Amino acid sequence: MIHGDRVLARAARRRLAVLGYERVHLHTADGRKGWAEHAPFHAILSTAATLAVPARWIEQLATEGRLLAPIGRPGEFQVLTRFVERPDGQLVAKLLPVRFVPLRE
């Protein structure tokens, strides 16, 4: 974990406390790996663009779980894409053009 990540997490924790949010758990790690200890998830939201959805995110979705992520190159328009994990396969919908910061490698 990068030092700046810890600083941001501390600042977020303080800000959430000031705003009165008590039941929030902050987890700072490599987001590309997901959070296997708490899977399966009913929803995953990526706030950073990636060329392709990390396989671990898909693996950690519950049946009928939804994943929303901007897909595309950094510095260009990406496509906000919704993935739904179904028993009969994955449903993918391209929603709209967006611009997000890149997912850090």
Side-chain angles (χ1 to χ4, degrees):
M1 177 175 16
I2 298 171
H3 172 71
D5 294 342
R6 286 190 297 270
V7 171
L8 285 173
R10 257 195 318 274
R13 191 171 285 111
R14 282 193 303 269
R15 191 170 301 114
L16 289 167
V18 166
L19 292 171
Y21 291 98
E22 298 173 5
R23 295 184 52 188
V24 176
H25 180 83
L26 295 177
H27 177 71
T28 306
D30 182 347
R32 293 171 294 151
K33 295 178 181 176
W35 201 2
E37 304 86 65
H38 293 279
F41 295 100
H42 296 285
I44 297 173
L45 172 64
S46 174
T47 58
T50 181
L51 292 175
V53 172
R56 290 183 182 175
W57 293 1
I58 298 294
E59 292 166 3
Q60 293 174 24
L61 273 180
T63 300
E64 297 298 329
R66 299 162 320 281
L67 186 153
L68 192 62
I71 307 297
R73 296 185 179 286
E76 298 178 7
F77 279 101
Q78 299 100 21
V79 177
L80 190 60
T81 306
R82 180 182 60 222
F83 301 82
V84 179
E85 192 63 30
R86 299 252 169 108
D88 59 345
Q90 207 176 79
L91 177 64
V92 178
K94 295 180 178 181
L95 303 175
L96 64 135
V98 293
R99 288 192 89 162
F100 280 74
V101 298
L103 185 64
R104 288 199 335 217
E105 298 287 326

